[in-house]
Amino acid sequence: MSKRTALITDANRGLGLETAWQLARSGYRVFLAARDLGKAEAAVRALLSEQLDVVPFELDIASDAGCERLSRIGAIDALVNNAGVLVESDENPLAAGLLSRSALDVAPSLLREAFETNTLGAYRVIQALAPGMRDRGYGRIVNVSSGLGQLNDMGGGYPAYRVSKTGLNALTRIFAAELRDQGVLVNSVCPGWVKTDMGGPQARLEPEEGVRTIVWAATLPDGGPTGGFFRDRKPIPW
C-alpha cells in the first residue's frame, strides 16, 4: 500500500502544526498548508529535522481561486480543516482574558468575516478534495470545531465564532450523509481549550493534548464513526 497523505489547513502553528507533527511521525506524507508560503516553509524546516515527509503548500481557503490549486496536489487521504478565526473585536477575548462581546454589539461584518473562513473555507476545501476520496473509496475529513458552536449548550457572547462553528458542524452532517457509503468518514472535533494563539496561555491543555482527537479522527479505521461530534474521542451533543 502506498503511503497515506494528509492535508492540514493553517498548519504553520498551534493545533495545525502539532497535528502535522503527529501524523507525519505516524508515517503520513503531510501537506502543511498556510496562506503565507513563507510561514509554511519555516514550519516545515523544523519537521524536516526529524526527516519527516512534510511538504509546504500555499493555500488561501477564503479564495475560490486559491482552493482550485488543490487539484495540483493529487490524492489526499485525510483532510484536517483546522483553519479558524475569532474576530469578535480588535482583540482576541480568549487570549487576552477578556469577557466576550455581546451579540448586541458585534457588527454583522465580523460575522461575515468569521463565516468566510470558519465555514465557507472548509466548504471550499472539502468540495475540492472529497470527490477524489469518494472515487478512491477512502477518505477522512476532520472539521476542527468548538464547544462554543454547540446548539445543545448555546450561550451568549462570541456570536461570530459561535455561528460560524455551528455552520461548520452542519457541513459535517451534510457531507457525512452524502459520503456515508463511499468510504469517506466526516466528523467534527472539539479539541478543548488549548494553549494556542487563540486559546491564550491560561488555557488548560497543551497542543499535544488538544490534537489527540483530531489525529484519532483523521486515522479512523474503515467502519469508524461518521457524522459525529467528538471531544476526548467521545461523542458530544450537537
Side-chain angles (χ1 to χ4, degrees):
M1 180 184 293
S2 60
K3 177 181 288 191
R4 293 289 189 200
T5 60
L7 182 136
I8 308 164
T9 63
D10 194 22
N12 60 291
R13 58 181 181 171
L15 291 173
L17 181 58
E18 182 62 32
T19 302
W21 276 103
Q22 295 198 20
L23 286 177
R25 284 169 176 161
S26 66
Y28 278 68
R29 185 179 201 213
V30 176
F31 288 87
L32 190 155
R35 186 169 58 180
D36 185 316
L37 181 59
K39 291 181 179 179
E41 291 172 337
V44 164
R45 281 194 288 273
L47 277 71
L48 291 178
S49 66
E50 294 189 24
Q51 298 183 328
L52 299 174
D53 190 357
V54 185
V55 180
F57 188 78
E58 183 179 5
L59 176 63
D60 180 2
I61 66 168
S63 163
D64 291 339
C67 289
E68 289 174 1
R69 298 183 63 251
L70 290 167
S71 61
R72 306 177 190 176
I73 286 183
I76 293 294
D77 298 303
L79 164 64
V80 178
N81 280 312
N82 169 70
V85 294
L86 194 156
V87 293
E88 311 296 331
S89 65
D90 293 336
E91 291 185 273
N92 176 350
L94 283 175
L98 304 174
L99 293 175
S100 162
R101 294 183 64 195
S102 166
L104 297 172
D105 302 321
V106 174
S109 61
L110 293 182
L111 270 77
R112 186 179 302 113
E113 182 180 345
F115 195 78
E116 187 65 50
T117 296
N118 298 349
T119 312
L120 287 180
Y123 187 61
R124 292 184 184 95
V125 180
I126 293 171
Q127 280 195 323
L129 296 180
M133 294 178 177
R134 177 196 59 202
D135 294 344
R136 292 186 299 276
Y138 181 92
R140 305 292 181 262
I141 298 173
V142 184
N143 292 326
V144 180
S145 186
S146 169
L148 290 175
Q150 287 180 279
L151 288 173
N152 182 72
D153 192 32
M154 185 64 70
Y158 305 106
Y161 191 72
R162 286 186 187 275
V163 169
S164 61
K165 288 299 187 180
T166 301
L168 179 63
N169 286 345
L171 292 184
T172 293
R173 297 288 290 179
I174 292 167
F175 280 112
E178 295 189 1
L179 297 167
R180 186 174 300 275
D181 298 323
Q182 311 298 322
V184 183
L185 308 179
V186 188
N187 292 290
S188 283
V189 166
C190 172
W193 191 16
V194 185
K195 294 177 182 177
T196 62
D197 289 348
M198 183 182 293
Q202 75 277 20
R204 300 185 181 93
L205 300 175
E206 298 294 335
E208 57 267 27
E209 298 173 291
V211 304
R212 286 174 183 166
T213 306
I214 298 173
V215 173
W216 168 79
T219 58
L220 284 168
D222 291 343
T226 190
F229 194 7
F230 296 91
R231 182 190 294 128
D232 297 327
R233 304 184 185 183
K234 298 177 182 179
I236 60 175
W238 293 103

mmCIF file of all heavy atoms in Angstrom, residues 64-117:
data_model
loop_
_atom_site.group_PDB
_atom_site.id
_atom_site.type_symbol
_atom_site.label_atom_id
_atom_site.label_comp_id
_atom_site.label_asym_id
_atom_site.label_seq_id
_atom_site.Cartn_x
_atom_site.Cartn_y
_atom_site.Cartn_z
ATOM 1 N N ASP A 64 -11.704 31.280 -3.760
ATOM 2 C CA ASP A 64 -12.075 30.205 -4.676
ATOM 3 C C ASP A 64 -10.891 29.812 -5.547
ATOM 4 O O ASP A 64 -10.620 28.626 -5.754
ATOM 5 C CB ASP A 64 -13.239 30.649 -5.572
ATOM 6 C CG ASP A 64 -14.541 30.812 -4.809
ATOM 7 O OD1 ASP A 64 -14.670 30.226 -3.708
ATOM 8 O OD2 ASP A 64 -15.435 31.528 -5.309
ATOM 9 N N ALA A 65 -10.180 30.816 -6.057
ATOM 10 C CA ALA A 65 -9.030 30.540 -6.919
ATOM 11 C C ALA A 65 -7.933 29.815 -6.151
ATOM 12 O O ALA A 65 -7.273 28.914 -6.680
ATOM 13 C CB ALA A 65 -8.490 31.846 -7.514
ATOM 14 N N GLY A 66 -7.732 30.219 -4.884
ATOM 15 C CA GLY A 66 -6.718 29.564 -4.080
ATOM 16 C C GLY A 66 -7.023 28.091 -3.875
ATOM 17 O O GLY A 66 -6.122 27.241 -3.935
ATOM 18 N N CYS A 67 -8.283 27.764 -3.640
ATOM 19 C CA CYS A 67 -8.658 26.370 -3.410
ATOM 20 C C CYS A 67 -8.603 25.541 -4.688
ATOM 21 O O CYS A 67 -8.446 24.318 -4.634
ATOM 22 C CB CYS A 67 -10.046 26.293 -2.779
ATOM 23 S SG CYS A 67 -10.075 26.866 -1.058
ATOM 24 N N GLU A 68 -8.708 26.196 -5.831
ATOM 25 C CA GLU A 68 -8.579 25.472 -7.093
ATOM 26 C C GLU A 68 -7.173 24.892 -7.255
ATOM 27 O O GLU A 68 -6.987 23.908 -7.973
ATOM 28 C CB GLU A 68 -8.924 26.392 -8.266
ATOM 29 C CG GLU A 68 -10.411 26.722 -8.368
ATOM 30 C CD GLU A 68 -10.716 27.749 -9.439
ATOM 31 O OE1 GLU A 68 -9.758 28.199 -10.112
ATOM 32 O OE2 GLU A 68 -11.899 28.097 -9.604
ATOM 33 N N ARG A 69 -6.188 25.479 -6.551
ATOM 34 C CA ARG A 69 -4.818 24.983 -6.618
ATOM 35 C C ARG A 69 -4.692 23.593 -5.998
ATOM 36 O O ARG A 69 -3.693 22.888 -6.219
ATOM 37 C CB ARG A 69 -3.855 25.936 -5.901
ATOM 38 C CG ARG A 69 -3.792 27.331 -6.500
ATOM 39 C CD ARG A 69 -2.768 28.197 -5.773
ATOM 40 N NE ARG A 69 -1.417 27.677 -5.901
ATOM 41 C CZ ARG A 69 -0.718 27.117 -4.909
ATOM 42 N NH1 ARG A 69 -1.262 26.986 -3.711
ATOM 43 N NH2 ARG A 69 0.512 26.687 -5.096
ATOM 44 N N LEU A 70 -5.677 23.180 -5.225
ATOM 45 C CA LEU A 70 -5.612 21.869 -4.598
ATOM 46 C C LEU A 70 -5.596 20.738 -5.613
ATOM 47 O O LEU A 70 -5.158 19.623 -5.304
ATOM 48 C CB LEU A 70 -6.789 21.694 -3.631
ATOM 49 C CG LEU A 70 -6.727 22.554 -2.366
ATOM 50 C CD1 LEU A 70 -8.071 22.550 -1.654
ATOM 51 C CD2 LEU A 70 -5.634 22.033 -1.433
ATOM 52 N N SER A 71 -6.068 21.016 -6.811
ATOM 53 C CA SER A 71 -6.056 19.982 -7.845
ATOM 54 C C SER A 71 -4.636 19.575 -8.226
ATOM 55 O O SER A 71 -4.430 18.502 -8.812
ATOM 56 C CB SER A 71 -6.799 20.480 -9.092
ATOM 57 O OG SER A 71 -6.160 21.629 -9.630
ATOM 58 N N ARG A 72 -3.633 20.397 -7.884
ATOM 59 C CA ARG A 72 -2.247 20.099 -8.220
ATOM 60 C C ARG A 72 -1.610 19.100 -7.256
ATOM 61 O O ARG A 72 -0.551 18.537 -7.536
ATOM 62 C CB ARG A 72 -1.417 21.385 -8.206
ATOM 63 C CG ARG A 72 -1.960 22.500 -9.086
ATOM 64 C CD ARG A 72 -1.114 23.754 -8.947
ATOM 65 N NE ARG A 72 -1.727 24.907 -9.596
ATOM 66 C CZ ARG A 72 -1.216 26.134 -9.558
ATOM 67 N NH1 ARG A 72 -0.084 26.357 -8.907
ATOM 68 N NH2 ARG A 72 -1.842 27.136 -10.168
ATOM 69 N N ILE A 73 -2.226 18.890 -6.123
ATOM 70 C CA ILE A 73 -1.613 18.053 -5.092
ATOM 71 C C ILE A 73 -1.686 16.576 -5.426
ATOM 72 O O ILE A 73 -0.766 15.812 -5.154
ATOM 73 C CB ILE A 73 -2.288 18.318 -3.726
ATOM 74 C CG1 ILE A 73 -1.833 19.663 -3.175
ATOM 75 C CG2 ILE A 73 -1.983 17.224 -2.729
ATOM 76 C CD1 ILE A 73 -2.385 19.967 -1.796
ATOM 77 N N GLY A 74 -2.792 16.146 -5.996
ATOM 78 C CA GLY A 74 -3.008 14.722 -6.188
ATOM 79 C C GLY A 74 -3.858 14.155 -5.068
ATOM 80 O O GLY A 74 -4.582 14.882 -4.394
ATOM 81 N N ALA A 75 -3.743 12.864 -4.839
ATOM 82 C CA ALA A 75 -4.606 12.176 -3.882
ATOM 83 C C ALA A 75 -4.326 12.623 -2.452
ATOM 84 O O ALA A 75 -3.176 12.676 -2.017
ATOM 85 C CB ALA A 75 -4.414 10.671 -4.000
ATOM 86 N N ILE A 76 -5.388 12.937 -1.724
ATOM 87 C CA ILE A 76 -5.313 13.241 -0.299
ATOM 88 C C ILE A 76 -6.240 12.271 0.430
ATOM 89 O O ILE A 76 -7.417 12.144 0.096
ATOM 90 C CB ILE A 76 -5.727 14.701 -0.004
ATOM 91 C CG1 ILE A 76 -4.710 15.680 -0.587
ATOM 92 C CG2 ILE A 76 -5.873 14.913 1.507
ATOM 93 C CD1 ILE A 76 -3.335 15.615 0.052
ATOM 94 N N ASP A 77 -5.691 11.587 1.422
ATOM 95 C CA ASP A 77 -6.474 10.600 2.162
ATOM 96 C C ASP A 77 -7.157 11.194 3.391
ATOM 97 O O ASP A 77 -8.246 10.757 3.783
ATOM 98 C CB ASP A 77 -5.572 9.449 2.618
ATOM 99 C CG ASP A 77 -4.954 8.710 1.445
ATOM 100 O OD1 ASP A 77 -5.708 8.217 0.589
ATOM 101 O OD2 ASP A 77 -3.706 8.633 1.374
ATOM 102 N N ALA A 78 -6.500 12.149 4.035
ATOM 103 C CA ALA A 78 -7.051 12.757 5.250
ATOM 104 C C ALA A 78 -6.964 14.271 5.141
ATOM 105 O O ALA A 78 -5.899 14.826 4.858
ATOM 106 C CB ALA A 78 -6.301 12.279 6.484
ATOM 107 N N LEU A 79 -8.085 14.926 5.353
ATOM 108 C CA LEU A 79 -8.154 16.385 5.354
ATOM 109 C C LEU A 79 -8.504 16.858 6.755
ATOM 110 O O LEU A 79 -9.501 16.404 7.329
ATOM 111 C CB LEU A 79 -9.217 16.868 4.362
ATOM 112 C CG LEU A 79 -9.692 18.323 4.512
ATOM 113 C CD1 LEU A 79 -8.547 19.297 4.254
ATOM 114 C CD2 LEU A 79 -10.876 18.600 3.584
ATOM 115 N N VAL A 80 -7.693 17.767 7.291
ATOM 116 C CA VAL A 80 -7.989 18.374 8.580
ATOM 117 C C VAL A 80 -8.265 19.851 8.357
ATOM 118 O O VAL A 80 -7.355 20.628 8.048
ATOM 119 C CB VAL A 80 -6.837 18.193 9.585
ATOM 120 C CG1 VAL A 80 -7.169 18.885 10.905
ATOM 121 C CG2 VAL A 80 -6.557 16.715 9.816
ATOM 122 N N ASN A 81 -9.532 20.230 8.470
ATOM 123 C CA ASN A 81 -9.923 21.638 8.339
ATOM 124 C C ASN A 81 -9.688 22.324 9.687
ATOM 125 O O ASN A 81 -10.593 22.433 10.518
ATOM 126 C CB ASN A 81 -11.385 21.743 7.918
ATOM 127 C CG ASN A 81 -11.576 21.526 6.434
ATOM 128 O OD1 ASN A 81 -10.867 22.110 5.623
ATOM 129 N ND2 ASN A 81 -12.514 20.664 6.078
ATOM 130 N N ASN A 82 -8.456 22.773 9.860
ATOM 131 C CA ASN A 82 -8.039 23.365 11.128
ATOM 132 C C ASN A 82 -8.156 24.884 11.132
ATOM 133 O O ASN A 82 -8.288 25.494 12.196
ATOM 134 C CB ASN A 82 -6.589 22.952 11.410
ATOM 135 C CG ASN A 82 -5.985 23.707 12.557
ATOM 136 O OD1 ASN A 82 -6.353 23.520 13.707
ATOM 137 N ND2 ASN A 82 -5.033 24.597 12.249
ATOM 138 N N ALA A 83 -8.112 25.510 9.976
ATOM 139 C CA ALA A 83 -8.092 26.975 9.904
ATOM 140 C C ALA A 83 -9.328 27.569 10.560
ATOM 141 O O ALA A 83 -10.449 27.104 10.352
ATOM 142 C CB ALA A 83 -7.994 27.434 8.449
ATOM 143 N N GLY A 84 -9.130 28.584 11.375
ATOM 144 C CA GLY A 84 -10.243 29.244 12.026
ATOM 145 C C GLY A 84 -9.836 30.589 12.579
ATOM 146 O O GLY A 84 -8.659 30.808 12.895
ATOM 147 N N VAL A 85 -10.795 31.493 12.683
ATOM 148 C CA VAL A 85 -10.519 32.827 13.207
ATOM 149 C C VAL A 85 -11.557 33.177 14.257
ATOM 150 O O VAL A 85 -12.690 32.684 14.242
ATOM 151 C CB VAL A 85 -10.537 33.898 12.096
ATOM 152 C CG1 VAL A 85 -9.398 33.677 11.112
ATOM 153 C CG2 VAL A 85 -11.881 33.916 11.367
ATOM 154 N N LEU A 86 -11.171 34.015 15.200
ATOM 155 C CA LEU A 86 -12.078 34.576 16.187
ATOM 156 C C LEU A 86 -11.990 36.087 16.026
ATOM 157 O O LEU A 86 -10.972 36.686 16.355
ATOM 158 C CB LEU A 86 -11.676 34.131 17.594
ATOM 159 C CG LEU A 86 -12.698 34.356 18.709
ATOM 160 C CD1 LEU A 86 -12.448 33.384 19.860
ATOM 161 C CD2 LEU A 86 -12.641 35.769 19.244
ATOM 162 N N VAL A 87 -13.053 36.691 15.507
ATOM 163 C CA VAL A 87 -12.980 38.093 15.071
ATOM 164 C C VAL A 87 -14.040 38.953 15.749
ATOM 165 O O VAL A 87 -14.580 39.873 15.155
ATOM 166 C CB VAL A 87 -13.128 38.202 13.534
ATOM 167 C CG1 VAL A 87 -11.950 37.590 12.824
ATOM 168 C CG2 VAL A 87 -14.423 37.531 13.068
ATOM 169 N N GLU A 88 -14.300 38.691 17.023
ATOM 170 C CA GLU A 88 -15.363 39.430 17.703
ATOM 171 C C GLU A 88 -15.013 40.903 17.915
ATOM 172 O O GLU A 88 -15.889 41.736 18.121
ATOM 173 C CB GLU A 88 -15.649 38.800 19.067
ATOM 174 C CG GLU A 88 -15.841 37.290 19.036
ATOM 175 C CD GLU A 88 -17.048 36.845 18.251
ATOM 176 O OE1 GLU A 88 -18.015 37.606 18.181
ATOM 177 O OE2 GLU A 88 -17.018 35.729 17.706
ATOM 178 N N SER A 89 -13.729 41.207 17.920
ATOM 179 C CA SER A 89 -13.293 42.583 18.145
ATOM 180 C C SER A 89 -11.851 42.700 17.689
ATOM 181 O O SER A 89 -11.274 41.752 17.148
ATOM 182 C CB SER A 89 -13.391 42.944 19.632
ATOM 183 O OG SER A 89 -12.489 42.160 20.387
ATOM 184 N N ASP A 90 -11.255 43.852 17.903
ATOM 185 C CA ASP A 90 -9.855 44.044 17.536
ATOM 186 C C ASP A 90 -8.929 43.186 18.385
ATOM 187 O O ASP A 90 -7.815 42.883 17.990
ATOM 188 C CB ASP A 90 -9.457 45.517 17.671
ATOM 189 C CG ASP A 90 -10.176 46.390 16.658
ATOM 190 O OD1 ASP A 90 -10.589 45.853 15.616
ATOM 191 O OD2 ASP A 90 -10.331 47.596 16.919
ATOM 192 N N GLU A 91 -9.388 42.804 19.586
ATOM 193 C CA GLU A 91 -8.603 41.944 20.453
ATOM 194 C C GLU A 91 -9.236 40.562 20.506
ATOM 195 O O GLU A 91 -10.438 40.417 20.398
ATOM 196 C CB GLU A 91 -8.542 42.509 21.875
ATOM 197 C CG GLU A 91 -7.742 43.779 22.014
ATOM 198 C CD GLU A 91 -7.640 44.192 23.476
ATOM 199 O OE1 GLU A 91 -8.535 44.892 23.948
ATOM 200 O OE2 GLU A 91 -6.657 43.794 24.129
ATOM 201 N N ASN A 92 -8.398 39.549 20.654
ATOM 202 C CA ASN A 92 -8.881 38.191 20.843
ATOM 203 C C ASN A 92 -9.291 38.049 22.297
ATOM 204 O O ASN A 92 -8.439 38.019 23.176
ATOM 205 C CB ASN A 92 -7.764 37.203 20.493
ATOM 206 C CG ASN A 92 -8.150 35.759 20.766
ATOM 207 O OD1 ASN A 92 -9.179 35.488 21.381
ATOM 208 N ND2 ASN A 92 -7.318 34.843 20.321
ATOM 209 N N PRO A 93 -10.592 37.952 22.603
ATOM 210 C CA PRO A 93 -11.018 37.934 24.000
ATOM 211 C C PRO A 93 -10.543 36.707 24.755
ATOM 212 O O PRO A 93 -10.299 36.775 25.951
ATOM 213 C CB PRO A 93 -12.544 37.980 23.906
ATOM 214 C CG PRO A 93 -12.866 37.514 22.535
ATOM 215 C CD PRO A 93 -11.721 37.932 21.674
ATOM 216 N N LEU A 94 -10.401 35.562 24.062
ATOM 217 C CA LEU A 94 -9.918 34.372 24.748
ATOM 218 C C LEU A 94 -8.469 34.545 25.179
ATOM 219 O O LEU A 94 -8.108 34.349 26.342
ATOM 220 C CB LEU A 94 -10.048 33.148 23.830
ATOM 221 C CG LEU A 94 -11.436 32.550 23.661
ATOM 222 C CD1 LEU A 94 -11.391 31.439 22.622
ATOM 223 C CD2 LEU A 94 -11.956 32.015 24.972
ATOM 224 N N ALA A 95 -7.607 34.920 24.238
ATOM 225 C CA ALA A 95 -6.189 35.047 24.547
ATOM 226 C C ALA A 95 -5.910 36.201 25.492
ATOM 227 O O ALA A 95 -4.979 36.153 26.302
ATOM 228 C CB ALA A 95 -5.392 35.221 23.252
ATOM 229 N N ALA A 96 -6.712 37.260 25.405
ATOM 230 C CA ALA A 96 -6.487 38.429 26.256
ATOM 231 C C ALA A 96 -7.132 38.292 27.624
ATOM 232 O O ALA A 96 -6.974 39.152 28.486
ATOM 233 C CB ALA A 96 -7.013 39.683 25.559
ATOM 234 N N GLY A 97 -7.883 37.202 27.826
ATOM 235 C CA GLY A 97 -8.555 37.006 29.102
ATOM 236 C C GLY A 97 -9.717 37.949 29.309
ATOM 237 O O GLY A 97 -10.088 38.262 30.440
ATOM 238 N N LEU A 98 -10.309 38.427 28.220
ATOM 239 C CA LEU A 98 -11.415 39.384 28.302
ATOM 240 C C LEU A 98 -12.748 38.668 28.214
ATOM 241 O O LEU A 98 -12.849 37.549 27.701
ATOM 242 C CB LEU A 98 -11.318 40.390 27.144
ATOM 243 C CG LEU A 98 -10.007 41.171 27.029
ATOM 244 C CD1 LEU A 98 -10.033 42.003 25.753
ATOM 245 C CD2 LEU A 98 -9.814 42.068 28.236
ATOM 246 N N LEU A 99 -13.785 39.308 28.702
ATOM 247 C CA LEU A 99 -15.127 38.792 28.501
ATOM 248 C C LEU A 99 -15.520 38.956 27.040
ATOM 249 O O LEU A 99 -15.124 39.920 26.377
ATOM 250 C CB LEU A 99 -16.123 39.532 29.402
ATOM 251 C CG LEU A 99 -15.965 39.311 30.905
ATOM 252 C CD1 LEU A 99 -16.942 40.204 31.665
ATOM 253 C CD2 LEU A 99 -16.197 37.855 31.271
ATOM 254 N N SER A 100 -16.293 38.022 26.547
ATOM 255 C CA SER A 100 -16.751 38.099 25.168
ATOM 256 C C SER A 100 -17.662 39.308 24.957
ATOM 257 O O SER A 100 -18.396 39.711 25.852
ATOM 258 C CB SER A 100 -17.512 36.830 24.812
ATOM 259 O OG SER A 100 -18.309 37.022 23.673
ATOM 260 N N ARG A 101 -17.647 39.842 23.766
ATOM 261 C CA ARG A 101 -18.564 40.919 23.418
ATOM 262 C C ARG A 101 -19.956 40.360 23.138
ATOM 263 O O ARG A 101 -20.116 39.255 22.654
ATOM 264 C CB ARG A 101 -18.053 41.666 22.198
ATOM 265 C CG ARG A 101 -16.747 42.426 22.458
ATOM 266 C CD ARG A 101 -16.323 43.206 21.233
ATOM 267 N NE ARG A 101 -17.299 44.240 20.918
ATOM 268 C CZ ARG A 101 -17.339 44.874 19.742
ATOM 269 N NH1 ARG A 101 -16.497 44.560 18.790
ATOM 270 N NH2 ARG A 101 -18.240 45.807 19.533
ATOM 271 N N SER A 102 -20.950 41.156 23.444
ATOM 272 C CA SER A 102 -22.333 40.755 23.257
ATOM 273 C C SER A 102 -22.701 40.751 21.783
ATOM 274 O O SER A 102 -22.187 41.540 20.978
ATOM 275 C CB SER A 102 -23.247 41.730 24.001
ATOM 276 O OG SER A 102 -24.597 41.563 23.595
ATOM 277 N N ALA A 103 -23.655 39.882 21.426
ATOM 278 C CA ALA A 103 -24.190 39.873 20.068
ATOM 279 C C ALA A 103 -24.890 41.185 19.733
ATOM 280 O O ALA A 103 -25.080 41.509 18.558
ATOM 281 C CB ALA A 103 -25.151 38.700 19.903
ATOM 282 N N LEU A 104 -25.272 41.947 20.742
ATOM 283 C CA LEU A 104 -25.879 43.249 20.506
ATOM 284 C C LEU A 104 -24.875 44.270 20.005
ATOM 285 O O LEU A 104 -25.254 45.304 19.459
ATOM 286 C CB LEU A 104 -26.524 43.764 21.793
ATOM 287 C CG LEU A 104 -27.681 42.931 22.342
ATOM 288 C CD1 LEU A 104 -28.087 43.450 23.724
ATOM 289 C CD2 LEU A 104 -28.861 42.949 21.384
ATOM 290 N N ASP A 105 -23.588 43.981 20.180
ATOM 291 C CA ASP A 105 -22.546 44.946 19.837
ATOM 292 C C ASP A 105 -21.675 44.543 18.655
ATOM 293 O O ASP A 105 -21.028 45.402 18.048
ATOM 294 C CB ASP A 105 -21.629 45.168 21.051
ATOM 295 C CG ASP A 105 -22.385 45.654 22.265
ATOM 296 O OD1 ASP A 105 -23.300 46.487 22.087
ATOM 297 O OD2 ASP A 105 -22.077 45.199 23.384
ATOM 298 N N VAL A 106 -21.609 43.265 18.343
ATOM 299 C CA VAL A 106 -20.712 42.787 17.282
ATOM 300 C C VAL A 106 -21.321 43.080 15.913
ATOM 301 O O VAL A 106 -22.464 42.707 15.633
ATOM 302 C CB VAL A 106 -20.442 41.280 17.439
ATOM 303 C CG1 VAL A 106 -19.641 40.748 16.251
ATOM 304 C CG2 VAL A 106 -19.685 41.011 18.743
ATOM 305 N N ALA A 107 -20.554 43.732 15.059
ATOM 306 C CA ALA A 107 -21.051 44.137 13.743
ATOM 307 C C ALA A 107 -21.293 42.927 12.845
ATOM 308 O O ALA A 107 -20.534 41.956 12.884
ATOM 309 C CB ALA A 107 -20.038 45.073 13.075
ATOM 310 N N PRO A 108 -22.343 42.986 12.007
ATOM 311 C CA PRO A 108 -22.593 41.890 11.065
ATOM 312 C C PRO A 108 -21.398 41.595 10.167
ATOM 313 O O PRO A 108 -21.201 40.453 9.756
ATOM 314 C CB PRO A 108 -23.794 42.385 10.249
ATOM 315 C CG PRO A 108 -24.508 43.328 11.172
ATOM 316 C CD PRO A 108 -23.415 44.005 11.956
ATOM 317 N N SER A 109 -20.589 42.595 9.876
ATOM 318 C CA SER A 109 -19.421 42.365 9.027
ATOM 319 C C SER A 109 -18.444 41.383 9.656
ATOM 320 O O SER A 109 -17.757 40.642 8.954
ATOM 321 C CB SER A 109 -18.704 43.694 8.748
ATOM 322 O OG SER A 109 -18.250 44.281 9.953
ATOM 323 N N LEU A 110 -18.384 41.346 11.003
ATOM 324 C CA LEU A 110 -17.499 40.404 11.670
ATOM 325 C C LEU A 110 -18.040 38.978 11.582
ATOM 326 O O LEU A 110 -17.271 38.020 11.491
ATOM 327 C CB LEU A 110 -17.286 40.810 13.126
ATOM 328 C CG LEU A 110 -16.515 42.116 13.344
ATOM 329 C CD1 LEU A 110 -16.328 42.404 14.825
ATOM 330 C CD2 LEU A 110 -15.160 42.064 12.648
ATOM 331 N N LEU A 111 -19.372 38.836 11.617
ATOM 332 C CA LEU A 111 -19.941 37.509 11.377
ATOM 333 C C LEU A 111 -19.606 37.038 9.970
ATOM 334 O O LEU A 111 -19.273 35.870 9.758
ATOM 335 C CB LEU A 111 -21.459 37.530 11.581
ATOM 336 C CG LEU A 111 -21.947 37.216 12.994
ATOM 337 C CD1 LEU A 111 -21.752 38.421 13.912
ATOM 338 C CD2 LEU A 111 -23.397 36.761 12.991
ATOM 339 N N ARG A 112 -19.697 37.936 9.012
ATOM 340 C CA ARG A 112 -19.388 37.570 7.629
ATOM 341 C C ARG A 112 -17.933 37.139 7.503
ATOM 342 O O ARG A 112 -17.610 36.149 6.825
ATOM 343 C CB ARG A 112 -19.677 38.761 6.708
ATOM 344 C CG ARG A 112 -19.524 38.440 5.219
ATOM 345 C CD ARG A 112 -19.846 39.657 4.360
ATOM 346 N NE ARG A 112 -21.199 40.160 4.613
ATOM 347 C CZ ARG A 112 -21.467 41.334 5.180
ATOM 348 N NH1 ARG A 112 -20.480 42.136 5.559
ATOM 349 N NH2 ARG A 112 -22.711 41.705 5.360
ATOM 350 N N GLU A 113 -17.036 37.862 8.173
ATOM 351 C CA GLU A 113 -15.611 37.529 8.112
ATOM 352 C C GLU A 113 -15.339 36.154 8.723
ATOM 353 O O GLU A 113 -14.595 35.345 8.169
ATOM 354 C CB GLU A 113 -14.801 38.601 8.840
ATOM 355 C CG GLU A 113 -13.297 38.378 8.792
ATOM 356 C CD GLU A 113 -12.529 39.460 9.529
ATOM 357 O OE1 GLU A 113 -13.125 40.514 9.831
ATOM 358 O OE2 GLU A 113 -11.335 39.239 9.814
ATOM 359 N N ALA A 114 -15.950 35.885 9.870
ATOM 360 C CA ALA A 114 -15.758 34.583 10.517
ATOM 361 C C ALA A 114 -16.335 33.463 9.662
ATOM 362 O O ALA A 114 -15.723 32.397 9.510
ATOM 363 C CB ALA A 114 -16.398 34.585 11.899
ATOM 364 N N PHE A 115 -17.508 33.688 9.106
ATOM 365 C CA PHE A 115 -18.163 32.672 8.287
ATOM 366 C C PHE A 115 -17.332 32.357 7.043
ATOM 367 O O PHE A 115 -17.245 31.203 6.612
ATOM 368 C CB PHE A 115 -19.557 33.165 7.890
ATOM 369 C CG PHE A 115 -20.463 32.094 7.361
ATOM 370 C CD1 PHE A 115 -21.090 31.202 8.215
ATOM 371 C CD2 PHE A 115 -20.699 31.969 5.999
ATOM 372 C CE1 PHE A 115 -21.932 30.206 7.727
ATOM 373 C CE2 PHE A 115 -21.528 30.989 5.502
ATOM 374 C CZ PHE A 115 -22.148 30.104 6.362
ATOM 375 N N GLU A 116 -16.684 33.374 6.489
ATOM 376 C CA GLU A 116 -15.884 33.195 5.275
ATOM 377 C C GLU A 116 -14.763 32.185 5.492
ATOM 378 O O GLU A 116 -14.488 31.347 4.624
ATOM 379 C CB GLU A 116 -15.292 34.538 4.839
ATOM 380 C CG GLU A 116 -14.571 34.517 3.498
ATOM 381 C CD GLU A 116 -15.500 34.224 2.339
ATOM 382 O OE1 GLU A 116 -16.548 34.887 2.235
ATOM 383 O OE2 GLU A 116 -15.176 33.319 1.539
ATOM 384 N N THR A 117 -14.120 32.255 6.652
ATOM 385 C CA THR A 117 -13.022 31.331 6.945
ATOM 386 C C THR A 117 -13.508 30.058 7.614
ATOM 387 O O THR A 117 -13.226 28.946 7.156
ATOM 388 C CB THR A 117 -11.978 32.021 7.846
ATOM 389 O OG1 THR A 117 -11.386 33.112 7.141
ATOM 390 C CG2 THR A 117 -10.895 31.047 8.270
#
